[in-house]
Amino acid sequence: MTADADTRHTKPEADAGIRDEDGRLLASFVEGVAEAIGANDTARVRELAGDLHESDVGDLIETLQADDRPKLIELLGVHFDFTALTEVDQTVRTQLLEELPPETVAEGVRDIDSDDAVYILEDLDEADRAAILAQLPALDRVALTRSLDYPEESAGRRMQTEFVAAPPFWTVGHTIDYLADAEGLPETFYEIFVVDPAHKLLGSVPLDRLLRTRRSTQISDILEEDPRTIRATDDQEDAARVFERYNLVSAAVVDDGGRLVGVLMVDDIVDVIEEEADEDLRALGGVTGDEEISDTVFYTAKSRIPWLLINLCTAVFSASVIGLFEATIEQMVALAVLMPIVASMGGNAGTQTMTVAVRALATRDIGGHNARRLVGRETLVGLANGVILAALIGCAASAWFGNLQLGAIIATAMVVNLVCAGLFGILIPLGLDRLKADPAVASGVFLTTVTDTVGFFSFLGLATWWFGLGLGA
C-alpha cells in the first residue's frame, strides 16, 4: 500500500467561510453542496469540497442526507480522500461503503495509510470486505488481510504497515540517500528501524540522531538497542498507556517472534484514547460503547433496554424498603417529603466516588498496593461530607417542620448514607473488576440500589424506632 503526497490538508483560504464561531459547518455551505449534488454539478462540488481537510469532509458527509453521501463521493472522484471516512460515525461509514461499488472503495483505500484502510474495512460484513479486498493488488490485499486477522481493538488493528527499516551494516550516508530516493515511503515517520535478515527488530535510530551523525558511521553504532515495542496482539488501550507513560511519538509493533510488522503513531494513539474515554463515558450511563447519534431508533432502544430493565428491578427492590414503613409514613407525612433527599444525596456522593474509581481502574492507578488506602480515604470523605450536609439538612428540616427530633433523625441518616456511598462507591467497581466485569457499565445500577436502600432504610428505620418509643412529639 502506498502513501501519496500530502494533498489533503486544507489551505487556510479553503477553510474560510465553512464553519461558524462554534466550529459547526455553516448551513449555507452544506446547502450549497447539497444543491450542487442535486444538480450533478461536478465542477461546483469540487470547487466547494475538493480541497477540504478530511475532517471537514467527514463532518460534511454526516451532515448531508443519506442519499447525497454516495453522490458526493462519486462527483468528487479522485478529489475524494477516503481518509475522511475515518472521521464519521461507524453507522454512517458502514451504510455508505455498502452503497459504493467495491471497485471504488478498493481504489480509495489503496491511496491511504494501511491503518486507516483497516479502520474503514473492519466493521463491514465478511462478504462485503472480501469483495473489496478482491479488487486490490496481491501485496496490498495480503497486508490488509494480515492486519484484519488481529483481534479487534488490538495494536495490530491500529498499526500502519508502512515503515522504514534498514540493515545494521548500512552507513548513515547510505540510509539518508535511500530516504531521499526511495518511492513508497510512509508519509510521516520519526525513526528508522534496524532489523536483521529475518526481520527481527534490533533497535531504532531517531531521525534527529541520524541527521546529526557523520555519513561514514554505521547504523549499528548509533541505534537504540532496546526501544519500546508493542506486541501486535496487545490491547490498544495498553498500547496507549505505553505511549502516555514514556512520551512516545511512535513505537515499533512486533509479532510473537519479535519480527517487525508495523508501527504505531501518536495520531493513532490519540484516536484510541478518545475512543476509550468515549466508551467509558457511555458505559457509565449504561449505553453500549458502539452507539452513535446516527443509529436508528430501534437499534438505540434495543441497546439501552437491558440495563434499564435491570435498573427497574433494583428500583422495585428499593421501593419495597419504603413499603416496610408504610404505617410510619402514614402517621407522619413529613417523612415522605424528606426521604428522597437522603437517597438523592447518597446517590450523588456515591457517583462521585464511583467515577473516580472507574477512571482509576481504567488507567491502572488502583492496585493491591493502594486499594485499601483508597477505600479508607473515600469512606472518610463520605463521613466528612455527611457531617457537613447533615448539619445543614438537620437545621433546615427542624425549621421547616418545627421538630428538632426530625432534624436529628434526617441528619443521622444523611451521615450513614454518605459513609455507605463513599464505601460502596469504590468497593463495587473494585469487586466488579475483580470478577472481570466492566465496572463502568454495571457500577451505576448497583450503587444506586445500595444508596437508595440504605437511605430509605436508615431514615425511615430511625424514625420508626424513635417515634415508635413514644419519645417523639
Side-chain angles (χ1 to χ4, degrees):
M1 181 149 314
T2 61
D4 288 346
D6 188 3
T7 59
R8 304 193 302 255
H9 299 293
T10 311
K11 300 176 182 178
E13 59 270 22
D15 276 337
I18 70 167
R19 293 186 181 272
D20 61 21
E21 59 185 10
D22 295 323
R24 292 184 290 266
L25 291 178
L26 291 171
S28 57
F29 169 72
V30 176
E31 290 170 2
V33 174
E35 289 175 2
I37 292 173
N40 286 320
D41 190 341
T42 301
R44 181 59 176 161
V45 169
R46 293 181 179 181
E47 177 187 351
L48 290 171
D51 292 328
L52 295 181
H53 188 276
E54 61 264 21
S55 179
D56 296 324
V57 177
D59 287 347
L60 176 60
I61 289 173
E62 288 187 329
T63 308
L64 289 171
Q65 295 294 322
D67 293 340
D68 288 338
R69 292 165 182 164
K71 294 179 182 178
L72 172 68
I73 297 176
E74 178 185 347
L75 293 174
L76 283 176
V78 296
H79 295 274
F80 179 74
D81 180 4
F82 267 72
T83 308
L85 295 184
T86 65
E87 304 289 340
V88 303
D89 288 350
Q90 175 186 332
T91 303
V92 173
R93 180 171 57 252
T94 302
Q95 292 174 347
L96 185 53
L97 290 172
E98 289 174 348
E99 294 183 34
L100 293 173
E103 300 82 6
T104 301
V105 180
E107 187 66 28
V109 299
R110 284 188 61 188
D111 296 328
I112 63 178
D113 291 338
S114 58
D115 56 326
D116 292 329
V118 170
Y119 188 83
I120 289 172
L121 298 177
E122 64 181 351
D123 295 319
L124 291 176
D125 293 337
E126 197 69 36
D128 294 332
R129 186 194 303 169
I132 294 169
L133 291 174
Q135 303 295 322
L136 293 172
L139 290 178
D140 291 344
R141 182 169 62 251
V142 169
L144 286 179
T145 301
R146 182 175 61 180
S147 295
L148 289 165
D149 284 341
Y150 287 114
E152 292 186 13
E153 299 190 348
S154 66
R157 286 285 186 97
R158 289 290 166 260
M159 71 181 183
Q160 64 181 56
T161 55
E162 303 90 3
F163 51 83
V164 181
F169 56 81
W170 275 14
T171 64
V172 169
H174 188 170
T175 305
I176 292 175
D177 292 341
Y178 169 76
L179 296 177
D181 298 333
E183 297 181 357
L185 293 180
E187 185 176 295
T188 303
F189 59 96
Y190 303 103
E191 56 189 332
I192 310 297
F193 298 110
V194 183
V195 296
D196 66 11
H199 225 62
K200 287 189 176 182
L201 183 65
L202 301 177
S204 65
V205 180
L207 287 182
D208 59 336
R209 182 180 301 178
L210 180 76
L211 296 175
R212 292 173 180 174
T213 305
R214 294 186 179 278
R215 291 178 60 87
S216 59
T217 305
Q218 279 197 336
I219 290 293
S220 58
D221 294 334
I222 61 172
L223 65 80
E224 294 179 358
E225 294 186 353
D226 296 308
R228 301 291 176 186
T229 59
I230 296 170
R231 290 192 178 275
T233 53
D234 287 348
D235 187 272
Q236 63 180 15
E237 193 171 359
D238 294 332
R241 196 165 292 112
V242 172
F243 270 72
E244 178 187 19
R245 184 178 299 127
Y246 299 109
N247 299 320
L248 303 179
V249 293
S250 66
V253 181
V254 298
D255 62 15
D256 293 335
R259 290 179 293 272
L260 181 66
V261 294
V263 59
L264 276 174
M265 307 292 284
V266 68
D267 62 316
D268 304 314
I269 296 302
V270 170
D271 292 338
V272 169
I273 293 173
E274 182 181 2
E275 288 176 13
E276 296 293 342
D278 184 57
E279 183 178 324
D280 290 343
L281 180 62
R282 297 183 189 195
L284 283 171
V287 178
T288 57
D290 60 351
E291 182 180 317
E292 305 285 357
I293 60 173
S294 56
D295 288 334
T296 64
V297 172
F298 176 76
Y299 178 84
T300 303
K302 184 179 69 172
S303 66
R304 295 183 186 181
I305 195 65
W307 282 107
L308 289 175
L309 288 173
I310 294 174
N311 196 34
L312 177 61
C313 295
T314 58
V316 170
F317 175 77
S318 299
S320 67
V321 174
I322 300 176
L324 297 175
F325 303 97
E326 181 179 355
T328 303
I329 296 173
E330 288 179 353
Q331 295 176 20
M332 195 168 193
V333 178
L335 298 178
V337 176
L338 295 174
M339 65 182 183
I341 298 176
V342 180
S344 175
M345 293 305 299
N348 290 334
T351 299
Q352 291 176 333
T353 301
M354 179 193 70
T355 302
V356 172
V358 168
R359 181 57 184 159
L361 285 169
T363 57
R364 309 295 168 82
D365 289 332
I366 293 183
H369 64 289
N370 64 354
R372 183 174 298 179
R373 179 178 64 82
L374 290 174
V375 170
R377 188 196 74 169
E378 292 301 325
T379 303
L380 291 176
V381 168
L383 176 61
N385 288 336
V387 170
I388 295 171
L389 294 172
L392 294 174
I393 190 61
C395 293
S398 298
W400 188 356
F401 294 99
N403 190 326
L404 289 175
Q405 296 172 79
L406 183 61
I409 289 172
I410 192 173
T412 304
M414 183 72 74
V415 173
V416 171
N417 202 22
L418 262 69
V419 169
C420 287
L423 178 62
F424 286 95
I426 192 168
L427 286 181
I428 289 174
L430 286 174
L432 291 170
D433 185 66
R434 183 70 60 89
L435 295 173
K436 306 300 181 184
D438 187 351
V441 175
S443 295
V445 173
F446 296 122
L447 180 61
T448 300
T449 303
V450 170
T451 54
D452 284 354
T453 302
V454 172
F456 293 143
F457 190 85
S458 59
F459 179 54
L460 297 176
L462 283 170
T464 300
W465 171 73
W466 185 266
F467 293 112
L469 292 177
L471 300 176

